[in-house]
Amino acid sequence: MFHTPIQKKTVKDHFHYSWWKYVLLITLCVLFWYLFFTMTAPRTPENEKIELYIYGYGESDSLNRFLENVREKDMPDMKEITAVYTVPDDTNGLMVLFTHVAAGEGDLFILPRDNFQSYAGDGLFVELDEIPEIMERCEQAGINLERGWRKNKETGERHLYGIPMTEFNGFSSYLYGSENFFLSLRVMNGNEEGTETFLKILLDQFLPGMQENGITESPAAEPEETVQSEASENL
């Protein structure tokens, strides 16, 4: 049987012509490890978590602290309430947003006007005018919802698909330029009851005149309490 002697030149030629095989092998190993980790990693059930997807710039750490406070005080049955920011741009940002939507991710969305109008027309969002508790809160606050009404392209019917963020007092500390955004609920999100309750909490917190009857305390009070407690400890 013919045997090729292993020499330095032989090894060098082998890697020169077969390097792509090793790159492919490494890529497949990484892909397999990623898929294995993704499939076996523990996941929070859909009805025990709430994800707020935001297509814009803002203070993610501050908002997530606020959401965790809401979870602990008002929705302890939820294991997670988190905000996910996507950096807006006309190339990668839109692709990432579309990927999230296509994958069925996100329970609530805060989107700029153009993106909101597009997805609302496609029927992605819940018809908020069909939820009496939501409409009662908006009417009590006396806010203008006209810009949140859109026509469903399939049915031709007009519904309230989003609440204008310009009406949300204090949310600009979490989302830059929030007056040009809309807050919506995604249809068939796997946690309809939880997301509706969470939306009511946000309305009670941020709509004008609702904090007196709100469920959660003002987010502006949290830093002051922290400063006061730290000052007390230093005395």
Side-chain angles (χ1 to χ4, degrees), residues 142-210:
I143 65 174
N144 184 359
L145 297 173
E146 180 59 31
R147 293 192 301 145
W149 287 77
R150 306 303 304 171
K151 179 184 291 186
N152 187 299
K153 297 176 183 177
E154 183 176 349
T155 65
E157 299 178 354
R158 280 177 56 85
H159 289 281
L160 178 66
Y161 289 111
I163 300 176
M165 296 295 295
T166 186
E167 305 289 355
F168 278 49
N169 291 338
F171 204 86
S172 58
S173 59
Y174 302 128
L175 175 63
Y176 307 145
S178 59
E179 64 274 6
N180 297 316
F181 288 72
F182 294 80
L183 172 62
S184 304
L185 292 182
R186 184 192 179 107
V187 297
M188 297 182 294
N189 55 58
N191 190 8
E192 284 77 8
E193 182 178 353
T195 53
E196 287 186 17
T197 299
F198 178 63
L199 177 57
K200 296 171 190 175
I201 292 175
L202 292 182
L203 297 181
D204 287 329
Q205 174 64 63
F206 292 103
L207 288 186
M210 296 295 290

Side-chain angles (χ1 to χ4, degrees), residues 60-127:
S60 60
D61 291 340
S62 298
L63 180 54
N64 275 303
R65 283 195 298 269
F66 168 70
L67 296 180
E68 178 61 17
N69 181 56
V70 170
R71 188 196 67 79
E72 292 179 350
K73 293 183 57 179
D74 306 310
M75 303 187 71
D77 53 324
M78 293 291 112
K79 293 183 177 179
E80 298 177 10
I81 301 181
T82 57
V84 179
Y85 287 77
T86 298
V87 177
D89 61 60
D90 294 333
T91 52
N92 294 335
L94 291 175
M95 181 69 69
V96 172
L97 176 62
F98 176 78
T99 301
H100 288 316
V101 172
E105 300 175 351
D107 302 305
L108 298 91
F109 282 83
I110 296 180
L111 302 176
R113 183 190 63 182
D114 293 344
N115 303 104
F116 160 73
Q117 293 178 349
S118 175
Y119 285 118
D122 292 335
L124 178 68
F125 301 134
V126 171
E127 300 167 357

Side-chain angles (χ1 to χ4, degrees), residues 226-235:
T226 302
V227 172
Q228 292 175 1
S229 61
E230 291 179 351
S232 299
E233 292 177 358
N234 293 329
L235 290 177

